[in-house]
Amino acid sequence: MSAERGGRSWRPAGESEHGDLFAHPGGEEGAGSPLTLALTGAKGGVGATFLSANLAVYFATIGRRTLLVDADARGAAAHGFLGVAPTRGIDPYQPPRPAFAPAEGVRRSAPPEPAPVALAAEARRPVPAGVPGLWLWHAGLDERPRAERRARGARALRAMLQRLHADVVLLDLGQGLERSLLRSWLGGALRLFVTLPEPTSVEGTYRFARHAFARELLDGQADPLVRRRLRIALRELGHAPAPLDLRRYLAGAGEVGLARHVEAAMDAFDLPFVVNQSRVRADLDLGSHMVSAARRRLGLRLRYLGHVDYDDTVHHCLRNGRPLLVESPGTKASRNVERIARRVLNPRRSGRQPGWVPPASHHDVLEVDRGATDEEVRRATKRAREIYADGSLSCRGLLDAEGLAALRARVEEAHDVLLDPARRRPYELSVFPPEPEPHEEVADRDDALPPPPAPAITPDTEFTGALLREVRASQGVSLDAISKVTKIGVSYLEALESDDFPRLPAIVYVRGFVTELAKFLKLDPEHVSRSYVRRLARHLES
């Protein structure tokens, strides 16, 4: 009998309204391979299993046939977050009975023997996890179920997952740097890494990023000779060096082709991560700070998907054997998990996306564009000072005291140069490629058409990208002309006019872009930026 808990349908473990996930444990293949999400964490206890269990609940509640695979080789624990009975690793307990001498002529019957084949078949099957559309499968990597002959290998597990009749498969891989775990995580169509706002977890995040990159670099190279040369270079630098160091080492050794190959792999590498158990304001900024620090020292672009607030309700739900999203869907942690689930299903680069600036330039150190205003430079400097301060949590495992001091000196130098007009202009002319000479656009062609009339604008008008395009067209100006004056990249201007929000940077930068565009088009900058940013904020919230 199902009961309503927190607005979601809850069923006792063992009941399901969708029947069995497998027609047969190894039966016919489904219409297509399921979408695989691989999860791991910086170390034990970071909450990877908690997050995988509740993400599985979320996917099931939106109508996806979901299977949570507990593939932790160090100890299966996902059943505890779902209220499912643990796997049958030992024989059922039989309490001792008093021994009475049998009557003369009566033989004592032996206890019945278990049916090992039936138990083994039962252990290989997923079990309903209490939420309609959700199943849990103990992969048997840590302890083989009772009557199983041997533990299941990671390769066999991956092969079996391709025959599932499921929409989404979540792989809870546990923690570690073993080759099989790295390959399982890298092999997921979607990936997720969980860390904590504490020094050891931050160090573990960067350590995992280095090892995962090295494994992906080697496994992605089909040429055995090239793979051997890469393996030798990795061994020389300690097997899992910073990718930036590997690229510089190969370039210095004359291996220009290999250095370019490593650089391309660095650009393609993706590590989506979540900060769990955030408690204070500084924890909320940790994710974006780690993205900047990793790009600076490792040369890798980590992708921050959000945080999960620390919540005592998680502990109570675990004690009661209830998923958090079922028992307490209104808590901050529940809303955080749902937001992360939506971002996992719609992957895109998050955080600061500046236009092209020369590497190691002052603009690159502060992560600002060439046309950054003085206020933007001040805000970027304040942020960089926080990232590279003494004892910075985001730099644990990346930079020593000397490296932090050198970076802080570079930040202060960039701040002084970019805020001094007499020094900034010559510096930008020296590091940026020369701009083409301005020229007047030809407007007296025979086929030239007069510009369309200006659209009607009132104090209540909500500015959209299409409306901004109409205003620009009525004035007969091109995006290139606007870009030359405002120093906003043409790609950003195109994204503004097409309302392509995923291509836009953070809201604070979009507000500046729209303000400069409104000034150029002789519109009210405050009205235009306020209405446009309001639409962008609604899109991000949804």
Side-chain angles (χ1 to χ4, degrees):
M1 184 68 65
S2 63
E4 294 297 325
R5 293 180 180 268
R8 299 182 189 272
S9 177
W10 170 264
R11 292 172 179 269
E15 297 184 12
S16 176
E17 64 180 18
H18 290 298
D20 195 1
L21 182 66
F22 285 172
H24 187 274
E28 298 179 358
E29 297 184 5
S33 299
L35 180 66
T36 304
L37 170 60
L39 295 95
T40 185
K43 65 174 188 176
V46 297
T49 301
F50 151 76
L51 193 59
S52 61
N54 284 279
L55 287 176
V57 171
Y58 175 83
F59 294 142
T61 56
I62 64 174
R64 307 288 182 92
R65 291 170 60 86
T66 306
L67 174 66
L68 174 59
V69 180
D70 197 337
D72 189 349
R74 288 175 170 81
H79 58 276
F81 289 93
L82 297 174
V84 178
T87 181
R88 303 175 69 175
I90 60 176
D91 290 338
Y93 174 68
Q94 296 291 340
R97 301 177 62 87
F100 295 101
E104 186 176 354
V106 178
R107 298 181 59 187
R108 179 180 297 174
S109 59
E113 293 290 336
V117 177
L119 290 176
E122 179 184 354
R124 285 196 299 265
R125 297 177 66 85
V127 296
V131 176
L134 175 60
W135 287 264
L136 172 66
W137 190 15
H138 176 225
L141 296 183
D142 59 331
E143 180 182 7
R144 61 179 180 268
R146 188 164 61 97
E148 280 280 311
R149 293 184 177 180
R150 60 182 179 84
R152 184 178 294 108
R155 181 177 301 178
L157 173 63
R158 289 194 297 267
M160 295 184 69
L161 293 178
Q162 299 302 317
R163 300 195 296 268
L164 294 178
H165 295 269
D167 300 321
V168 180
V169 173
L170 286 92
L171 280 174
D172 181 10
L173 299 172
Q175 293 78 38
L177 299 174
E178 296 85 359
R179 181 180 303 179
S180 60
L181 187 148
L182 293 174
R183 283 176 170 167
S184 298
W185 188 81
L186 292 169
L190 300 175
R191 312 168 186 172
L192 191 60
F193 189 88
V194 186
T195 189
L196 294 180
E198 61 180 29
T200 54
S201 296
V202 173
E203 291 180 16
T205 303
Y206 298 138
R207 186 184 307 115
F208 182 87
R210 292 188 286 108
H211 283 266
F213 174 80
R215 176 48 46 196
E216 187 173 53
L217 180 66
L218 291 175
D219 291 349
Q221 182 52 248
D223 189 341
L225 180 59
V226 175
R227 190 186 308 115
R228 180 175 177 272
R229 290 157 62 191
L230 287 173
R231 186 177 289 111
I232 293 174
L234 289 170
R235 189 183 303 118
E236 290 290 332
L237 297 178
H239 297 285
L244 197 61
D245 295 343
L246 176 62
R247 190 196 66 179
R248 292 171 177 171
Y249 172 82
L250 292 172
E255 299 278 3
V256 180
L258 280 183
R260 292 176 179 172
H261 176 73
V262 171
E263 185 174 6
M266 291 165 58
D267 291 338
F269 184 78
D270 183 31
L271 194 153
F273 73 102
V274 170
V275 177
N276 192 21
Q277 299 183 21
S278 298
R279 300 171 186 260
V280 296
R281 174 64 185 176
D283 296 343
L284 305 183
D285 297 329
L286 177 61
S288 61
H289 288 182
M290 291 176 63
V291 172
S292 295
R295 188 181 71 87
R296 180 71 51 203
R297 180 63 188 92
L298 301 181
L300 299 177
R301 293 184 295 174
L302 276 59
R303 183 156 53 95
Y304 178 50
L305 297 185
H307 69 280
V308 180
D309 288 294
Y310 180 84
D311 194 343
D312 287 330
T313 310
V314 176
H315 172 72
H316 297 305
C317 291
L318 178 59
R319 289 288 298 269
N320 297 329
R322 298 289 190 270
L324 177 68
L325 263 63
V326 172
E327 192 73 5
S328 301
T331 61
K332 285 185 177 181
S334 297
R335 294 196 296 269
N336 295 149
V337 172
E338 292 182 353
R339 187 180 300 112
I340 290 170
R342 291 191 293 269
R343 292 175 179 174
V344 167
L345 290 179
N346 298 278
R348 66 180 179 90
R349 291 288 181 186
S350 59
R352 176 79 172 104
Q353 294 291 332
W356 182 87
V357 294
S361 64
H362 294 330
H363 300 76
D364 181 57
V365 170
L366 297 183
E367 299 185 35
V368 295
D369 296 322
R370 181 179 184 180
T373 63
D374 290 352
E375 182 60 27
E376 290 173 345
V377 171
R378 293 189 184 96
R379 287 198 298 264
T381 303
K382 179 182 178 181
R383 178 176 181 271
R385 288 168 178 166
E386 294 175 355
I387 296 175
Y388 306 118
D390 283 331
S392 170
L393 180 59
S394 59
C395 292
R396 290 298 296 262
L398 283 183
L399 297 164
D400 56 6
E402 294 181 359
L404 284 173
L407 264 178
R408 285 196 298 270
R410 290 280 290 111
V411 168
E412 297 304 325
E413 180 185 5
H415 170 267
D416 295 341
V417 171
L418 296 185
L419 287 184
D420 186 354
R423 300 171 63 187
R424 178 173 180 173
R425 179 61 177 171
Y427 174 77
E428 290 184 343
L429 291 176
S430 65
V431 298
F432 284 94
E435 297 182 0
E437 292 294 331
H439 61 279
E440 296 293 334
E441 295 187 4
V442 179
D444 55 349
R445 297 178 302 173
D446 295 337
D447 57 345
L449 298 177
I457 297 176
T458 67
D460 298 328
T461 298
E462 184 176 40
F463 280 87
T464 64
L467 180 57
L468 292 173
R469 186 187 302 112
E470 291 181 16
V471 174
R472 177 180 62 81
S474 68
Q475 298 181 11
V477 295
S478 64
L479 292 179
D480 290 334
I482 297 176
S483 177
K484 291 174 183 177
V485 175
T486 63
K487 305 303 181 184
I488 303 173
V490 175
S491 60
Y492 285 142
L493 293 173
E494 293 175 346
L496 288 173
E497 289 191 348
S498 60
D499 288 336
D500 191 356
F501 297 137
R503 291 174 55 195
L504 293 174
I507 288 183
V508 61
Y509 301 102
V510 174
R511 182 180 290 108
F513 290 170
V514 176
T515 299
E516 294 299 320
L517 178 59
K519 291 178 181 178
F520 185 93
L521 298 177
K522 299 179 176 60
L523 300 172
D524 182 1
E526 184 178 354
H527 179 200
V528 176
S529 63
R530 183 174 60 251
S531 61
Y532 193 95
V533 171
R534 188 188 303 120
R535 295 176 53 251
L536 174 59
R538 289 199 300 264
H539 170 78
L540 296 178
E541 291 175 359
S542 63

